[in-house]
Amino acid sequence: MSIADNLLKYKAEIEGPTVKLVAVSKYHGADAVLEAYHAGQRVFGENIVQELVEKQAELPKDIEWHLIGHLQTNKVKYIAPFISLIESVDSLKLLIEIDKQAAKNKRIIDCLLQVYIADEDTKFGLAFDEVVDLLRDEQFSALKNIRIVGLMGIASNTKMEKQIKDEFNELKVLFDGIKASFFRKDEAFKEISMGMSADYKIAIEQGSTMVRIGSSIFGKRVIKHFKAD
Ligand SMILES: *Cc1c(COP(=O)(O)O)cnc(C)c1O
């Protein structure tokens, strides 16, 4: 199956009024992105700033780019002019920098708070109580050039479906609580980004609104062209 075939299959299966497909093109070349683009995809996810910036410069300007990987504060300035959604906000310090760079670019940048749901040490993200602390912080209330539109989470890399389901459910329950407490009247706060190639079906059952699919569309990521941050 070609990239276009895979993409169309996933679009047909996943996309609807409540769920959006983010095609994760990390480590794949601009030609692969373009093939998916010509098959109708407009939303792409990348996890390394340098790779994202290079692809954005070279590819059609109506692509909506999502940053889905860990973001260092000193790199925010490179993506602030064009990024559609930063899915991986994991500190107030980072959010303050995004706000500053968004203001410089006369933009409001949409962000998701990345929440730690996996039973692993390696995943970035905020703990549940840290999400609440961040949203209660006076410094957060003062930010005018960012908009929090939801939460993102990555489940454990395990074959145990029950565990994955429980982790996604925890994120959904947290989302509902945060929505009720902080964003009751804010229609923009509606996204739960969860689910990847291996677990997107479970994620959608648990209320995902955004699934991030990479290898099932683009094939295995064999070569790393870029050094991870
Ligand atoms: C790489 C990546 C994905 C896509 O993973 P696949 O298993 O290739 O579908 C999704 N989300 C994040 C945060 C990633 O880094």
Side-chain angles (χ1 to χ4, degrees), residues 22-28 45-47 67-70 87-88 114 123 152-154 193 195-200 211-221:
V22 179
V24 176
S25 46
K26 63 186 186 196
Y27 311 140
H28 292 278
E46 289 282 338
N47 72 338
L67 186 78
I68 61 172
H70 183 63
E87 296 205 18
S88 44
Q114 182 174 351
K123 301 280 194 285
M152 185 270 249
I154 304 171
S193 175
M196 322 194 338
S197 292
D199 55 20
Y200 73 92
V211 296
R212 311 175 306 269
I213 300 208
S215 44
S216 294
I217 294 173
F218 293 102
K220 284 213 170 66
R221 295 178 286 271

Side-chain angles (χ1 to χ4, degrees), residues 46-76:
E46 289 282 338
N47 72 338
I48 293 170
V49 167
Q50 185 195 345
E51 185 177 351
L52 170 58
V53 168
E54 288 180 13
K55 284 182 192 162
Q56 192 273 336
E58 154 174 11
L59 286 160
K61 295 300 172 270
D62 61 339
I63 289 179
E64 278 180 43
W65 293 102
H66 290 194
L67 186 78
I68 61 172
H70 183 63
L71 177 58
Q72 293 175 312
T73 45
N74 62 356
K75 296 196 173 159
V76 175

Side-chain angles (χ1 to χ4, degrees), residues 23 72 86 146 185 196:
Q72 293 175 312
I86 300 177
I146 53 100
K185 290 183 202 130
M196 322 194 338

